[in-house]
Amino acid sequence: MNAKTKSIAVILGTLLVGVIIGSLATGAIFSNRVAEIQALRKENGMSRFLERMIEPTDEAQQAEIQAVLRETERRHMEIRRSVALEHRDVFVDMRRSLDQILNDDQKAALSQRVEKDRKRRKGFMRGDGPSRFGGPPFDSTRARKPFGRRGLNKDSLRSMRVYADSTGS
């Protein structure tokens, strides 16, 4: 091998290693973000997120904040459950209507596909088990703190107000 060929091989090898490392890092970051969002969807997930973000100044304020967050969470879960039931009813009605139109092969194919999707989503959407993208399951105790290390503070609130004013929100 001459020097030119070696140089090209080193450059291509470096490029390949960089692409592989970049792909792995992107997958890990995406997996962590998906897990964080899944944690918010779980019971008390949003309350824990907001409490960490607010950083109560003392125990009295923390108790008041927790009471408000618990009540809001209870109401929110009620709404989610009722919407989920309505959503299920809509799809049951759709399946009944389709069953009158489809032949036996089409019904079997549709049922098989629905069951396959249900099994695939079961672990992924509920955050059970290891991440679909590789890596360990989400650990909420190691999650990054919203709004940086200091959490929600006067500067971040000011920034949000300025942004909201500038967008007309």
Side-chain angles (χ1 to χ4, degrees), residues 64-134:
E64 290 179 50
I65 290 170
Q66 286 176 345
V68 169
L69 293 177
R70 270 195 304 271
E71 176 58 21
T72 303
E73 184 79 21
R74 184 193 63 75
R75 290 175 47 210
H76 179 104
M77 291 309 288
E78 253 178 49
I79 292 168
R80 284 189 65 187
R81 285 185 191 106
S82 69
V83 168
L85 292 174
E86 287 182 47
H87 193 240
R88 187 197 66 206
D89 291 344
V90 167
F91 279 95
V92 167
D93 291 344
M94 178 196 67
R95 285 298 297 268
R96 284 187 188 131
S97 297
L98 286 175
D99 282 347
Q100 297 172 3
I101 301 168
L102 302 178
N103 64 35
D104 291 340
D105 292 338
Q106 290 172 319
K107 289 178 192 176
L110 179 62
S111 293
Q112 185 179 16
R113 179 58 192 241
V114 167
E115 186 60 30
K116 181 180 176 183
D117 286 347
R118 183 177 293 137
K119 286 179 182 176
R120 180 183 57 81
R121 282 192 319 264
K122 183 178 180 184
F124 177 70
M125 295 303 286
R126 290 182 173 80
D128 300 335
S131 165
R132 176 174 107 160
F133 304 102

Side-chain angles (χ1 to χ4, degrees), residues 1 15 35 43 45 47 49 52 55 58 64 70 73 84-85 88-89 101 103 126 129 145 149 151 159 163 166:
M1 277 185 136
L15 179 64
E43 192 120 11
S47 295
F49 170 79
R52 275 196 331 260
E55 290 185 347
D58 56 30
E64 290 179 50
R70 270 195 304 271
E73 184 79 21
L85 292 174
R88 187 197 66 206
D89 291 344
I101 301 168
N103 64 35
R126 290 182 173 80
K145 197 164 207 161
R149 285 179 284 141
S159 297
Y163 175 76
S166 69

